[in-house]
């Protein structure tokens, strides 16, 4: 009657465009230990071609997207870290030996594409789960960034019409 293990998954629509459906899946599990774990994954449905895609595949490469983001993601992440870590005397954002002081690479993040106009993708959400950008107690981090000309330049030509820059 007692099951100490658990798994749940909840899918939600991030945005729906005429040719695209952007989804998120929030997953939690507990298999024993000090605490459960959770994560969020993204999925993109290409309605026109009836196929699922990883949003990162819309870009010429993960490295091109990371370069297009420049320092914007890291700066926004550090601002959020500072809020969560306020009053933590042992935190030193300049400590090169602290893995939670570093900016995670795009390969450690989940990328979501969103829209404010319901016509084109004009926003990216970068998700860093527990232990990616900080200790478990800090939780996951989500950074929303508007699509700009640098990000547009990193989009594969066949997908550019699905994107627009936000001012």
């Amino acid at each position: 009657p007692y099951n100490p293990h658990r798994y749940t998954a909840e899918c939600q629509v991030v945005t729906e465009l005429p040719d695209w459906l952007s989804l998120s899946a929030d997953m939690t599990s507990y298999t024993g230990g000090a605490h459960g774990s959770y994560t969020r994954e993204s999925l993109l449905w290409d309605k026109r071609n009836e196929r699922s895609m990883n949003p990162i595949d819309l870009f010429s490469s993960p490295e091109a997207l990371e370069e297009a983001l420049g320092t914007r993601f890291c700066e926004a992440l550090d601002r959020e870290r500072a809020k969560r870590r306020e009053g933590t005397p042992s935190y030193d954002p300049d400590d090169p030996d602290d893995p939670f002081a570093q900016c995670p690479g795009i390969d450690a993040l989940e990328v979501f594409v969103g829209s404010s106009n319901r016509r084109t993708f004009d926003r990216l959400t970068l998700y860093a789960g527990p232990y990616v950008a900080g200790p478990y107690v800090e939780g996951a981090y989500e950074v929303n960034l508007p699509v700009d000309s640098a990000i547009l330049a990193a989009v594969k030509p066949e997908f550019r019409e699905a994107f627009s820059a936000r001012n």
Side-chain angles (χ1 to χ4, degrees):
Y2 173 69
N3 184 350
H5 300 180
R6 163 181 66 108
Y7 173 81
T8 62
E10 181 181 344
C11 294
Q12 297 179 358
V13 174
V14 174
T15 195
E16 184 168 6
L17 305 179
D19 292 330
W20 299 95
L21 180 62
S22 178
L23 302 166
S24 69
D26 292 327
M27 294 167 287
T28 62
S29 65
Y30 180 76
T31 58
H35 55 75
S37 66
Y38 62 94
T39 191
R40 177 171 288 157
E41 292 183 3
S42 61
L43 176 70
L44 191 60
W45 182 252
D46 176 352
K47 295 178 188 179
R48 184 180 296 168
N49 297 301
E50 297 183 348
R51 64 179 173 164
S52 64
M53 297 179 66
N54 185 325
I56 202 77
D57 294 334
L58 298 173
F59 299 92
S60 56
S61 70
E63 297 79 17
L65 176 57
E66 188 168 40
E67 185 176 322
L69 295 171
T71 61
R72 292 186 307 149
F73 167 72
C74 298
E75 290 167 355
L77 175 64
D78 283 341
R79 284 191 299 275
E80 184 59 31
R81 283 173 166 165
K83 286 184 213 172
R84 295 185 192 187
R85 296 174 181 177
E86 188 174 338
T88 306
S90 63
Y91 170 66
D92 179 5
D94 298 319
D95 182 355
D97 296 324
D98 181 356
F100 299 143
Q102 308 305 313
C103 187
I106 196 77
D107 58 328
L109 305 173
E110 194 71 21
V111 177
F112 296 85
V113 288
S115 176
S116 64
N117 62 26
R118 298 198 181 261
R119 292 184 314 276
T120 57
F121 296 123
D122 62 3
R123 180 187 77 242
L124 298 182
T125 298
L126 303 164
Y127 174 86
Y131 298 118
V132 172
Y136 185 87
V137 69
E138 289 179 7
Y141 286 89
E142 284 187 31
V143 173
N144 292 303
L145 297 173
V147 170
D148 65 2
S149 59
I151 292 172
L152 282 175
V155 175
K156 289 179 181 174
E158 62 266 33
F159 301 121
R160 285 219 180 106
E161 69 180 28
F163 282 81
S164 65
R166 272 177 55 190
N167 297 331

